């Protein structure tokens, strides 16, 4: 039996995180280059980092909207589609029993996306729609998590539909930027975080999740986020068009 040199107070949570077998290999035996365990530990670490990053990835976008009192250049349909895709992703992965570190960011990003959606509705004079949307999403979420209401086959179909849904949620934003030749109040931090996050998620999916549906979804999300990141760089110093979605300008009219 291999002796434990790491204090139990540190070793126990590590073993819970990467598993006893890999803890013995990587920590107790200091065989840090063992391919399988090294790959798995890197995947778990990246996954946790992505989840933690998901807690804050949309906050700069949120603060930018609040500070500027404007939603110029931000596509409402993109956020609505993304919120729906987030909910389906969470339900599918949860009911499949996948590790939280392989999908947990969807929970935090979805919450932030919903808040931004409400701000877009508020600043474009459609606040009442936010309440209706909230009620619909509550019922929709409950149904997805209930196997009595949505069986596994239907949930898999819905998850399969999120693959084009995720891409289509980016298309309105990509088109808006292309049309305006301006990124508006879109947060560069959020865009690049999304791109690098989905690229890293591609690695964790290959290592931890044996599910072609999940893999295809991550690949396409990485490509779509890459297009947005490229637009952000291309239009970085583009001049701002007249902003018709700014609260202050409405007051001055």
């Amino acid at each position: 039996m291999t002796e434990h040199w790491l204090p139990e107070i540190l070793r126990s949570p590590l073993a819970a995180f990467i598993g006893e077998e890999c803890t013995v290999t990587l920590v107790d035996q200091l065989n840090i280059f063992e391919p399988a365990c090294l790959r798995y530990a890197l995947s778990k670490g990246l996954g946790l980092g992505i989840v933690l990053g998901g807690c804050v990835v949309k906050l700069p976008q949120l603060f930018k909207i609040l500070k500027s009192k404007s939603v110029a250049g931000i596509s409402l349909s993109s956020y609505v589609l993304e919120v729906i895709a987030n909910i389906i992703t969470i339900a599918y992965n949860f009911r499949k029993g996948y590790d939280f570190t392989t999908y947990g960011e969807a929970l935090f990003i979805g919450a932030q996306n919903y808040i931004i959606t409400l701000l877009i509705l508020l600043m474009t004079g459609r606040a009442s729609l936010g309440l209706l949307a909230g009620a619909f999403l509550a019922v929709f979420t409950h149904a997805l998590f209930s196997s009595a209401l949505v069986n596994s086959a239907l949930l898999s179909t819905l998850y399969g539909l999120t693959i084009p849904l995720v891409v289509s949620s980016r298309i309105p934003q990509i088109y808006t930027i292309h049309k305006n030749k301006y990124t508006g109040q879109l947060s560069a931090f959020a865009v690049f975080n999304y791109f690098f996050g989905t690229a890293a998620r591609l690695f964790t999916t290959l290592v931890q999740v044996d599910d072609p549906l999940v893999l295809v979804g991550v690949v396409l999300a990485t490509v779509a986020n890459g297009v947005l990141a490229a637009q952000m760089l291309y239009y970085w110093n583009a001049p701002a068009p007249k902003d018709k979605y700014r609260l202050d300008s409405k007051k001055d009219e």
Side-chain angles (χ1 to χ4, degrees):
M1 180 178 179
T2 304
E3 292 188 5
H4 305 160
W5 61 268
L6 191 67
E8 196 62 30
I9 193 173
L10 298 176
R11 190 184 184 282
S12 292
L14 184 61
F17 186 59
I18 65 172
E20 181 64 27
E21 182 180 347
C22 283
T23 301
V24 170
T25 300
L26 298 175
V27 179
D28 298 339
Q29 299 176 351
L30 293 178
N31 185 10
I32 60 174
F33 295 111
E34 197 283 321
C37 282
L38 177 60
R39 188 165 54 247
Y40 182 72
L42 286 175
S43 177
K44 290 284 287 187
L46 272 175
L48 180 60
I50 295 168
V51 172
L52 293 176
C55 296
V56 299
V57 67
K58 289 300 183 79
L59 292 185
Q61 180 70 80
L62 183 58
F63 294 149
K64 195 171 184 180
I65 291 172
L66 293 173
K67 182 179 179 181
S68 66
K69 299 179 182 178
S70 169
V71 291
I74 299 177
S75 169
L76 173 62
S77 57
S78 286
Y79 275 92
V80 171
L81 289 171
E82 195 172 345
V83 168
I84 294 173
N86 288 147
I87 295 172
I88 295 173
T89 297
I90 296 165
Y92 178 82
N93 283 274
F94 177 82
R95 286 178 55 177
K96 282 284 187 177
Y98 296 144
D99 194 306
F100 185 73
T101 60
T102 64
Y103 69 91
E105 73 277 5
L107 173 62
F108 303 106
I109 292 174
Q112 293 167 79
N113 281 336
Y114 179 63
I115 294 172
I116 292 173
T117 300
L118 291 180
L119 286 174
I120 295 173
L121 291 172
L122 175 64
M123 293 183 179
T124 53
R126 295 172 285 180
S128 58
L129 287 178
L131 296 175
L132 293 176
F136 166 76
L137 290 176
V139 173
F140 183 61
T141 301
H142 173 72
L144 290 180
F145 277 86
S146 172
S147 57
L149 297 175
V150 177
N151 61 35
S152 297
L154 178 56
L155 185 58
S156 294
T157 300
L158 290 173
Y159 185 77
L161 292 175
T162 67
I163 296 174
L165 190 61
V166 167
V167 176
S168 63
S169 75
R170 298 291 187 270
I171 291 175
Q173 186 66 74
I174 291 170
Y175 174 74
T176 298
I177 294 173
H178 176 73
K179 180 181 178 182
N180 295 337
K181 313 297 182 186
Y182 177 62
T183 57
Q185 299 306 315
L186 198 63
S187 167
F189 176 84
V191 169
F192 291 121
N193 242 330
Y194 250 142
F195 172 62
F196 290 118
T198 49
R201 178 58 73 207
L202 182 57
F203 173 76
T204 67
T205 301
L206 287 169
V207 173
Q208 292 181 254
V209 181
D210 184 17
D211 191 322
L213 269 179
V214 176
L215 180 60
V216 171
V218 174
V219 169
L220 291 180
T222 302
V223 172
N225 288 331
V227 173
L228 271 177
Q231 285 185 310
M232 182 64 70
L233 290 173
Y234 188 77
Y235 295 114
W236 190 268
N237 293 314
K242 183 178 179 181
D243 188 349
K244 64 180 180 178
Y245 295 119
R246 185 179 175 88
L247 290 184
D248 292 345
S249 65
K250 289 185 178 182
K251 293 178 182 178
D252 294 337
E253 292 177 353

